[in-house]
């Protein structure tokens, strides 16, 4: 690594979660372990119906998310409290694990998500 600039594009992701006509998540893994994700959720998308089965059907989303909303409106609900928070275009956000979510309205939700290296101390 050293002083080399690494550039990756979502057009050639390392992996993807395909949610068919409801959207998907493209995942890029950088050399240092950092991950970048581009999530696209179409109107009608819900975590419960479209993503939960792809993750092995946990009670709630087990991941923490840090990201930025490029468009649309995503409503995220914390399972333990039932509190709902809307994320909209221009919001930089931090979502703890233990949530589910759904697209609110007729506009597609576009998110960029960031993940720190898991081996970081």
């Amino acid at each position: 690594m050293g002083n080399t600039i690494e550039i990756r594009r979502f057009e050639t992701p390392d992996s993807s979660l395909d949610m068919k006509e409801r959207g998907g998540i493209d995942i890029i893994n950088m050399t240092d372990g950092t991950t970048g994700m581009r999530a696209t959720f179409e109107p009608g998308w819900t975590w419960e119906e479209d993503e939960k089965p792809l993750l092995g059907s946990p009670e709630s989303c087990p991941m923490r998310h840090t990201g930025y909303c490029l468009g649309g409106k995503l409503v995220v609900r914390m399972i333990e409290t039932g509190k709902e928070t809307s994320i909209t275009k221009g919001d930089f956000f931090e979502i703890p694990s233990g949530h589910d979510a759904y697209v609110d309205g007729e506009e597609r939700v576009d998110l960029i998500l960031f993940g720190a290296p898991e081996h970081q101390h």
Side-chain angles (χ1 to χ4, degrees):
M1 247 173 25
N3 58 358
T4 302
I5 296 172
E6 182 179 8
I7 296 175
R8 298 289 313 278
R9 297 186 61 86
F10 286 113
E11 289 82 2
T12 55
D14 293 305
S15 58
S16 296
L17 278 180
D18 184 2
M19 297 173 214
K20 310 298 182 214
E21 67 280 350
R22 293 276 181 93
I25 302 173
D26 294 323
I27 304 164
I28 290 174
N29 300 308
M30 303 302 277
T31 303
D32 74 349
T34 301
T35 57
M37 292 167 269
R38 178 179 60 187
T40 304
F41 304 136
E42 298 293 339
W45 177 92
T46 68
W47 182 85
E48 184 79 23
E49 288 180 28
D50 298 300
E51 190 170 345
K52 180 178 180 173
L54 300 177
L55 300 178
S57 295
E59 286 298 308
S60 61
C61 184
M63 292 172 272
R64 177 180 197 91
H65 304 292
T66 300
Y68 182 77
C69 183
L70 298 169
K73 181 177 180 183
L74 184 70
V75 177
V76 181
R77 179 175 66 103
M78 295 307 300
I79 300 300
E80 195 173 293
T81 64
K83 179 170 173 36
E84 292 189 346
T85 302
S86 294
I87 294 172
T88 59
K89 182 179 180 177
D91 289 340
F92 187 78
F93 56 85
E94 180 76 35
I95 304 169
S97 60
H99 62 273
D100 66 7
Y102 62 90
V103 172
D104 187 13
E106 296 305 311
E107 187 182 346
R108 181 175 78 189
V109 171
D110 290 305
L111 307 172
I112 299 294
L113 304 166
F114 310 93
E118 292 182 17
H119 54 77
Q120 198 172 32
H121 298 286

